Amino acid sequence: MKITKVRARTFEWKGKTVPPQGNFCSNAMDLLYSPQETMKTFRFHGWTVVEIETDTGLVGYGNVALAPRIAKEIIDQYLSPLIMGQDPWDYEYLNQRMYRATHAWGRKGVGMAAISAVDIELWDLLGKSVDKPVFKLLGGRTKEKIPCYYSKLYRTDLNEMQKEAETYLKQGFKAFKMRFGYGPAHLQQGVTENLKSVEAVREVIGYDTDLMLECYMGWNLEYTKRMLPKLARFQPRWLEEPVIADDIDGYAELNAMNIVPISGGEHEFSLYGFKQLLDRKAVSVVQYDTNRVGGITMAHKINALCEAYSVPVVPHAGQMHNYHLTMSTLASPMSEYFPMFDVEVGNELFYYIFDGEPVAEDGFLQLRDDVPGLGLTLKTEYLDQFNIVE
Ligand SMILES: O=C(O)C(=O)C[C@@H](O)CO
Ligand SMILES: [Mg+2]
């Protein structure tokens, strides 16, 4: 099998969007003087889709969500010439070729995300070429079905959050992730508000259900150290990304406090980066995203690394490129799950671009044994609501 054509297209949503309500979600910009800007950066309304054709007639799909127009340029200008005419089965070589050829500028951030999209696509092709789902090429089925956690519960009105939690509790979810709306800039009143929101959600879901708490890098070390003892009574399964991704010392210090397990890795980009996090015992849960860390080839290696360090992997964002890895490793106990909603932050956009994403039933996801590759096709239903950059 030889690669004959590489096509990267950016899908930019121009349809209806729901404006975020309330304080919504803390994030890294909250630490700056100009808080009115912080929500503007918190939008992911574009996605780059990579399609690669081969001389066998097979076509696969990969995707990247970070800085999608820039990722497209990287694929067009740098990555496409490196893989053209090559055999997708040489995926380790091709991954290293892309990683090393762009190393001076591409090894973290959007460069790595672009490589990820190509690599994910290659695995889709591999599965299709042998008529097997990707998870069967990675180790096969390690779970009858994948437990997943409901991930939304942004900080809006507390009654609204409670209604949302109640609705999805009734649908059978046994684990939930909620977002904090306040950070250091909101002083003691923000501390009170944050605690009230956790209390409100726990009141609805009880204590036989997992609760995860998301900071999205919107806190700092000092604030988190004050918050951890106050949060302990709510028995969170983890506190996610309290500080910015580069502050590995901060993660290590917080995790060593052993009050609430600290999770992270959603903004880490390489096998070496994860080894550093693990060596430093900086996180108790690893949350890579396959479409950031170098694709399936690299995520598979990170799974093995985490297994050896006995640190569970719960990938960021769900979605097929992550689900196949979760299905095929014991290092991964469950998946994140974004339900389909009207377009808001943009986490939902995957459903508007692709058909084939599994829908959670009673808190579980299923991957089919009889669907080759990743199991995704391009959706036609919403095409006219995207600006498509060729
Ligand atoms: O799902 C997560 O873990 C994220 O950080 C997603 C982001 O949209 C924050 O809600
Ligand atoms: Mg997160």
Side-chain angles (χ1 to χ4, degrees), residues 359-370:
V359 174
E361 274 179 43
D362 217 15
F364 289 91
L365 291 163
Q366 189 54 284
L367 298 186
R368 288 175 52 179
D369 290 310
D370 60 344

Side-chain angles (χ1 to χ4, degrees), residues 27-38 41 185 218:
N27 68 82
M29 291 288 283
D30 288 355
L31 276 292
L32 298 184
Y33 178 64
S34 44
Q36 69 278 8
E37 282 182 359
T38 79
T41 62

Side-chain angles (χ1 to χ4, degrees), residues 108 248 271-282:
K108 298 225 177 194
I248 297 180
L271 185 60
Y272 297 94
F274 284 95
K275 183 173 181 302
Q276 280 164 3
L277 286 177
L278 293 164
D279 280 342
R280 300 290 314 279
K281 298 191 190 308

Side-chain angles (χ1 to χ4, degrees), residues 11 22 28 82 86 88 142 152 162 165 167 191 209 229 245 251 257 271-272 294 298 309 342-343:
F11 288 67
L82 293 169
Q86 302 282 334
T142 67
K152 202 167 180 278
Q162 287 191 317
T167 304
V191 172
T209 303
Y251 279 90
M257 289 170 76
L271 185 60
Y272 297 94
M298 285 301 157
Y309 280 80
D342 291 342
V343 178

